[in-house]
């Protein structure tokens, strides 16, 4: 097995020798599904990095919102999901070639509401990638892949629902605080104190 970085720097690939790829089972994935799984795994790592950045931004010194620990937990969960997709590719004797996804240009996640909105946007894109992979797997009659993906789609739905609920809750809190004290800046409600 050899790790290669393609010349155009848009993906990293693991290349297996002919001996490693030789198998009596010949259970290779269709090319469409292989590419889609690589993209999902890469995006899971991308989200993991974004969540880790959010968790570090909202440390205890900044008056972290209650959901900051959620970001830290999700960073680990997303990284583990990426590993599981890569293990699946390896099990199916498929080439691993992760596309490089540009890191968000955000160093200041702003209010807790802004971080939740960013997280929800990332999760919605992941949901779309997973749905597209499911569609491809169905079209290519990849029943093993469909079975493998089932738990990820369920977890993704729960995760997205949680973020939507948290976002709605914190927006209501912010609105209530604004009604009680119209001179209070919105960031104070979300756990980040600002100077008035």
């Amino acid at each position: 097995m050899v790790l290669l970085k393609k010349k155009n720097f848009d993906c990293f690939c693991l290349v297996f020798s002919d001996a490693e790829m030789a198998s009596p089972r010949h259970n290779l994935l269709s090319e469409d599904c292989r590419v889609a799984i690589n993209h999902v795994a890469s995006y899971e790592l991308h989200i993991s990095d974004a969540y880790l950045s959010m968790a570090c931004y909202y440390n205890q010194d900044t008056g972290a919102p209650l959901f900051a620990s959620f970001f830290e937990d999700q960073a680990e969960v997303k990284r583990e999901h990426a590993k599981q997709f890569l293990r699946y590719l390896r099990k199916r004797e498929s080439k691993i070639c992760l596309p490089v996804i540009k890191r968000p240009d955000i160093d200041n996640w702003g209010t807790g509401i802004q971080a939740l909105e960013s997280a929800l946007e990332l999760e919605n894109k992941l949901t779309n990638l997973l749905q597209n992979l499911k569609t491809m797997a169905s079209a290519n009659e990849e029943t093993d892949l469909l079975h493998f993906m089932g738990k990820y789609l369920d977890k993704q739905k729960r995760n997205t629902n949680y973020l939507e609920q948290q976002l709605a809750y914190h927006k209501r809190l912010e609105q209530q605080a604004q009604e009680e004290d119209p001179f209070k800046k919105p960031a104070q409600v979300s756990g980040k104190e600002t100077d008035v």
Side-chain angles (χ1 to χ4, degrees), residues 1 8 35 38 47 67 71 79 83 90 97 102 104 114 130 137 145 161 164 169 175 192-193:
M1 175 173 50
N8 61 4
V35 169
N38 273 287
I47 293 176
F67 50 81
F71 293 146
R79 187 166 303 280
K83 286 191 222 175
R90 183 76 171 115
C97 192
K102 188 177 180 294
Q114 290 167 324
L130 288 169
L145 177 56
N161 287 341
E164 288 170 346
Y169 172 74
Q175 183 179 5
K192 300 283 288 177
E193 294 296 325

Side-chain angles (χ1 to χ4, degrees), residues 41-51 101-104 122:
S42 186
Y43 201 75
E44 291 270 15
L45 291 171
H46 171 71
I47 293 176
S48 175
D49 289 345
Y51 277 137
I101 298 174
K102 188 177 180 294
R103 182 186 171 278
L122 291 168

